[in-house]
């Protein structure tokens, strides 16, 4: 679905108006295509923390070229700064010294990653300085422009060997619409250094359950997980049975037609996965509905149906799969929340409550899971789908522009984020809520 405004401002007349009126000027985002390198260019490394020696080796293993300096006249595709060695606030000047000379030497759609130590695992002046990194990266994300992204990755000392999967995602075009994020590695639970045999198919041999899989974001999730090697089991309501069956046949997957809110849905899903697949490795709670009204006009059925689909069913299904031992060791549970669950939205008290509840599910389980199982969530912002196409033009335009990239995201942006969290190399990424919103300017 094309962005007509973006197409207009790419014309000579559009560029003239952008320059004279200060209009948003979105850059066409680079997105990863099958067979392309993770990073098409050079990554420049900075900082002298505990990961300084680990980073070059890790990037080399991913097929990513890196260097400590940028040659004269050359440009960088990405910058990675190891800030784990910053012990007090006076040392924060190292950020300015590294980044300022390089910011005008970045290619289009660059990637910037700062790596720190979780403040909660630091003390005294170091804790102050490490917390300061969040303000730095979130501000830089709103400055970098030209389709660029900026992230902060807090790595617990015990997880230094578990960063490859996260760097592969954040430095590549797979993270096109993720910016201004704080990702924690090794903050909750064990920190395995999962080896990935084939980075082009990190889910080979895995079984992935995707609810609401027949169309929109759910369809794209199914496609990307299949691309990465998973056998996909799609779930959707009877009304979507034909589309679901067609998609799963195309992906050589399996399907289960049922309403996830019926009383025995968790048991039926668990039975199907155990009987037909011997268990499940990835669980993606994508199914969701909206029934928007201001609370003063909210009928009881509008409230209850949204809560039932969006948060009660995921909670009950998750607990059944865990209690019945259907989730295999090293399994990944991923919920689809929403920016509405973080920032709120007018007319969406029911929807926002349900999506905040998905985040609550992550919080409630992240420290309880064993066998290397992780739980995370993604929180999409304005994603261009058939549903958002029906939004009034003015509202849609405002929704797309109020982020650092001045444009809406695509379903594949959500799917790629989920694929990273689902990957076998992401065993130390647990308890995170990752926004896929182009770094919204307001409320989150």
């Amino acid at each position: 679905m094309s962005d007509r405004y973006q197409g207009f401002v790419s014309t000579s007349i559009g560029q003239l108006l952008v320059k004279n009126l200060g209009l948003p000027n979105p850059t066409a985002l680079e997105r990863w295509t099958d067979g392309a390198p993770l990073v098409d260019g050079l990554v420049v490394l900075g900082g002298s923390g505990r990961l300084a020696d680990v980073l070059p080796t890790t990037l080399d293993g991913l097929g990513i070229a890196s260097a400590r300096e940028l040659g004269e006249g050359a440009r960088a595709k990405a910058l990675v700064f190891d800030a784990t060695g910053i012990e007090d606030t006076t040392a924060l000047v190292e950020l300015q010294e590294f980044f300022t000379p390089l910011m005008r030497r970045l290619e289009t759609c660059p990637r910037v990653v700062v790596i720190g130590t979780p403040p909660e695992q630091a003390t005294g002046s170091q804790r102050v300085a490490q917390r300061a990194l969040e303000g730095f990266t979130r501000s830089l994300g709103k400055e970098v422009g030209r389709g660029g992204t900026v992230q902060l990755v807090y790595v617990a000392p015990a997880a230094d060997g578990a960063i490859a999967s996260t760097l592969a995602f954040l430095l590549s075009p797979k993270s096109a619409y993720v910016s201004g994020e704080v990702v924690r590695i090794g903050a909750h639970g064990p920190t395995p250094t999962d080896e990935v045999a084939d980075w082009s198919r990190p889910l080979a041999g895995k079984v992935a359950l995707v609810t609401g899989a027949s169309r929109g974001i759910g369809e794209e999730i199914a496609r990307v997980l299949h691309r990465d090697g998973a056998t996909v089991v799609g779930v959707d309501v009877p009304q979507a049975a034909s589309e679901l069956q067609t998609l799963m046949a195309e992906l050589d997957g399996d399907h289960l037609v049922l309403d996830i809110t019926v009383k025995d849905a968790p048991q039926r899903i668990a039975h199907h996965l155990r009987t037909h697949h011997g268990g499940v490795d990835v669980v993606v709670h994508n199914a969701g509905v909206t029934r928007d009204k201001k609370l003063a006009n909210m009928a009881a059925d509008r409230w209850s149906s949204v809560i039932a689909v969006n948060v009660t069913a995921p909670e009950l299904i998750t607990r059944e799969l865990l209690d019945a031992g259907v989730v295999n060791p090293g399994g990944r549970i991923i919920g689809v929340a929403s920016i509405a669950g973080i920032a709120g939205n007018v007319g969406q008290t029911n929807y926002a409550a349900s999506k905040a509840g998905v985040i609550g599910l992550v919080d409630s389980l992240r420290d309880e899971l064993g066998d290397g199982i992780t739980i995370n969530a993604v929180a999409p912002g304005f994603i261009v789908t058939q549903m958002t196409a029906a939004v009034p033009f003015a509202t849609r335009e405002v929704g797309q522009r109020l982020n650092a990239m001045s444009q809406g995201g695509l379903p594949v942006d959500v799917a790629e984020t989920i694929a990273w969290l689902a990957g076998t190399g992401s065993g130390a990424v647990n308890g995170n809520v990752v926004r896929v919103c182009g770094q919204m300017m307001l409320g989150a």
Side-chain angles (χ1 to χ4, degrees):
M1 195 174 299
S2 63
D3 184 334
R4 287 182 291 177
Y5 174 83
Q6 190 171 11
F8 169 71
V9 298
S10 66
T11 65
S12 56
I13 295 176
Q15 283 297 299
L16 182 64
L17 291 176
V18 164
K19 182 178 180 179
N20 291 321
L21 300 179
L23 298 175
N25 188 20
T27 297
L29 301 182
E30 296 175 358
R31 291 183 169 87
W32 190 78
T33 55
D34 201 8
L38 287 173
V39 178
D40 187 11
L42 183 69
V43 177
V44 179
L45 304 176
S48 56
R50 67 175 194 273
L51 290 165
D53 295 331
V54 174
L55 285 169
T57 304
T58 300
L59 296 179
D60 185 63
L62 295 168
I64 299 173
S66 65
R68 298 290 297 188
E69 295 182 358
L70 188 60
E72 185 176 352
R75 289 186 170 271
K77 189 62 176 179
L79 307 176
V80 177
F81 187 86
D82 178 7
T84 60
I86 293 179
E87 298 285 343
D88 57 49
T89 53
T90 62
L92 290 169
V93 70
E94 295 176 18
L95 297 168
Q96 184 271 326
E97 292 172 343
F98 174 74
F99 284 104
T100 297
L102 294 172
M103 293 309 295
R104 289 187 174 88
R105 301 180 65 185
L106 294 174
E107 296 185 17
T108 302
C109 296
R111 299 286 181 264
V112 175
V113 175
V114 175
I115 301 176
T117 298
E120 58 271 20
Q121 296 189 15
T123 58
S125 296
Q126 184 188 23
R127 183 166 188 165
V128 177
Q130 291 296 314
R131 181 59 179 81
L133 299 176
E134 294 191 31
F136 173 80
T137 53
R138 284 187 167 135
S139 293
L140 186 57
K142 294 176 179 179
E143 290 183 11
V144 64
R146 301 177 67 232
T149 67
V150 181
Q151 326 290 352
L152 172 60
V153 181
Y154 281 132
V155 182
D160 287 353
I163 61 175
S165 175
T166 298
L167 289 178
F169 173 68
L170 294 179
L171 292 176
S172 78
K174 294 180 179 182
S175 59
Y177 202 59
V178 177
S179 189
E181 287 306 283
V182 179
V183 176
R184 283 174 162 77
I185 301 180
H188 300 280
T191 56
T193 54
D194 293 331
E195 297 293 330
V196 179
D198 183 356
W199 282 101
S200 67
R201 289 174 60 81
L203 293 175
K206 303 298 183 180
V207 175
L209 176 78
V210 180
T211 65
S214 67
R215 66 182 73 176
I217 293 174
E219 176 186 347
E220 199 63 42
I221 294 168
R223 290 186 180 280
V224 170
L225 296 182
H226 167 73
R227 178 203 69 191
D228 283 358
T231 296
V232 179
V233 180
V235 177
D236 220 319
V237 292
Q239 301 94 302
S242 177
E243 294 168 286
L244 178 67
Q245 291 166 7
T246 299
L247 177 63
M248 290 303 114
E250 179 187 342
L251 302 182
D252 295 322
D254 187 13
H255 67 274
L256 183 60
V257 177
L258 86 166
D259 182 341
I260 60 172
T261 66
V262 299
K263 186 175 181 180
D264 64 344
Q267 292 74 28
R268 288 170 60 186
I269 291 172
H271 176 77
H272 184 90
L273 292 170
R274 185 190 300 110
T275 302
H276 294 276
H277 301 281
V280 67
D281 302 286
V282 179
V283 178
V284 182
H285 294 296
N286 167 73
V289 296
T290 57
R291 299 287 186 271
D292 296 352
K293 281 286 184 181
K294 288 187 177 181
L295 189 59
N297 302 317
M298 180 78 66
D301 62 333
R302 284 182 176 269
W303 179 276
S304 59
S305 61
V306 169
I307 298 295
V309 174
N310 295 3
V311 64
T312 303
E315 180 182 9
L316 295 177
I317 292 168
T318 297
R319 295 192 183 279
E320 175 66 23
L321 295 178
L322 291 171
D323 292 345
V326 178
V327 180
N328 294 326
R332 309 280 184 257
I333 301 167
I334 303 160
V336 177
S338 170
I339 285 296
I342 299 172
N345 259 341
V346 173
Q348 289 195 318
T349 52
N350 51 357
Y351 183 75
S354 71
K355 293 304 185 178
V358 173
I359 297 171
L361 182 62
V362 173
D363 292 343
S364 72
L365 291 177
R366 66 188 183 189
D367 295 316
E368 298 180 11
L369 302 172
D371 291 329
I373 299 170
T374 66
I375 184 167
N376 296 281
V378 298
F382 193 101
I383 305 298
V384 179
T385 64
Q386 289 181 339
M387 183 173 68
T388 57
V391 173
F393 176 79
T395 303
R396 186 170 70 248
E397 282 302 304
V398 170
Q400 291 185 90
R401 309 307 160 203
L402 283 180
N403 59 74
M405 296 178 182
S406 300
Q407 59 193 285
L410 300 179
V412 70
D413 299 322
V414 180
E416 293 284 17
T417 308
I418 287 172
W420 155 54
L421 296 172
T424 54
S426 299
V429 184
N430 184 34
N432 288 268
V433 179
V434 181
R435 299 175 304 158
V436 187
C437 66
Q439 194 179 11
M440 284 188 66
M441 294 292 190
L442 301 173

